[in-house]
Amino acid sequence: MELEGKRIIVTGSARGMGAGTLRSYVRAGAHVVGMDVRDDEGAAVAGDAAAEGPGSAAYMHVDIADAGSIEQAFGAAVAQLGGLDALAHPAAIHRFSNAGDVSVEDWDFMFAVNVRGTMLTNQVAHGYLKASDGGSIINFGSISGQRPEPGAASYSAAKGAVHSWTRTAAGTWGADNIRVNAILPAMDTPMYREALAEASEEQQQINRQINLGTIYMGGQYGDPDKHLGPVMVFLASDASWFITGQLIPVDGGQGSVR
């Protein structure tokens, strides 16, 4: 569970699960570069974490749907860090829609960010991790990719694709000592609250029934720092070396306790 000296990139680091992950890594002694499109928030999160220590943190802009942006940002981050030992990839978007009315535009945007972004960040990280003789990639899936989602059709499909990609990448890159896993979290985040606020009353009601009603540890979403952070530290550490290709729920029993 030691991260002292580990060199890590965290996407989506400006808030929510990405911010909680970055803070947890810095508290464990890692050297972290956080990335996001929300530059002011991202820089503030990294600055506060660096001030707390004992690890270090910096911030860089990235658009995970754009290959050139990822290559440039990851290259600069690895040059600053002196190598790469882990990628944590929480960055994602969420929108509500049902199977009958999801638009082509929403579908394509969801897949560009959540699926293509996962593929591209993983591919670029793979090259740097291989040069470091291995490491860890931690993607973010969702219970939404494992069950029917009447109120979030495109999000569910995208997360299912992330799950399949994670297993395939793990099977491909194991020979390079690179493990690839996906967290399936149930956390209270700004992204979720904003998406819910824009949903219809019917979509909100469905969401409450299938989500809050099925979380058995406290009946509410978890805290990214308190409940997710320690798991992210474990998966970035050498203690998780023999774990790969797994979909790991951190969800208060939502996915498996029926």
Side-chain angles (χ1 to χ4, degrees):
M1 294 284 287
E2 294 294 329
L3 290 187
E4 185 174 354
K6 291 286 188 184
R7 303 157 298 180
I8 306 175
I9 291 172
V10 179
T11 69
S13 66
R15 58 185 193 162
M17 293 184 288
T21 296
L22 182 145
R23 287 189 290 263
S24 297
Y25 286 163
V26 173
R27 289 174 187 138
H31 303 300
V32 187
V33 173
M35 298 184 180
D36 209 301
V37 294
R38 298 172 177 270
D39 294 333
D40 291 343
E41 294 172 83
V45 168
D48 290 345
E52 181 181 345
S56 65
Y59 174 78
M60 296 181 182
H61 177 91
V62 75
D63 176 357
I64 63 166
D66 181 81
S69 178
I70 294 169
E71 290 169 359
Q72 181 179 8
F74 277 42
V78 171
Q80 179 172 313
L81 292 168
L84 188 66
D85 299 302
L87 164 67
H89 180 53
I93 59 171
H94 190 297
R95 289 184 177 179
F96 285 91
S97 61
N98 66 48
D101 68 16
V102 59
S103 68
V104 171
E105 291 75 18
D106 276 0
W107 182 273
D108 288 348
F109 186 42
M110 188 69 64
F111 271 72
V113 176
N114 291 358
V115 184
R116 186 169 74 210
T118 299
M119 177 194 74
L120 291 172
T121 56
N122 286 196
Q123 285 179 334
V124 175
H126 165 259
Y128 293 117
L129 292 169
K130 184 176 180 180
S132 298
D133 197 29
S136 177
I137 294 174
I138 310 161
N139 291 324
F140 272 62
S142 172
I143 190 175
S144 298
Q146 295 186 305
R147 68 182 182 189
E149 285 278 341
S154 59
Y155 181 76
S156 173
K159 287 302 184 178
V162 170
H163 298 172
S164 294
W165 165 264
T166 295
R167 289 187 290 259
T168 297
T172 305
W173 297 336
D176 299 324
N177 291 324
I178 298 169
R179 57 198 185 276
V180 188
N181 296 289
I183 292 289
L184 281 59
M187 299 290 140
D188 183 17
T189 67
M191 181 188 79
Y192 171 76
R193 293 193 296 272
E194 290 170 2
L196 192 62
E198 296 178 0
S200 68
E201 180 58 37
E202 180 183 4
Q203 289 169 337
Q204 291 182 22
Q205 184 176 358
I206 291 171
N207 183 267
R208 285 191 290 269
Q209 290 172 347
I210 67 175
N211 284 320
L212 294 183
T214 58
I215 296 176
Y216 294 88
M217 295 295 290
Q220 59 186 358
Y221 285 108
D223 177 84
D225 287 83
K226 182 178 179 181
H227 300 125
L228 178 65
V231 181
M232 297 300 291
V233 169
F234 168 67
L235 288 174
S237 76
D238 294 339
S240 63
W241 188 87
F242 208 54
I243 300 173
T244 195
Q246 302 302 307
L247 308 180
I248 302 171
V250 187
D251 64 2
Q254 182 183 60
S256 59
V257 180
R258 302 293 183 184

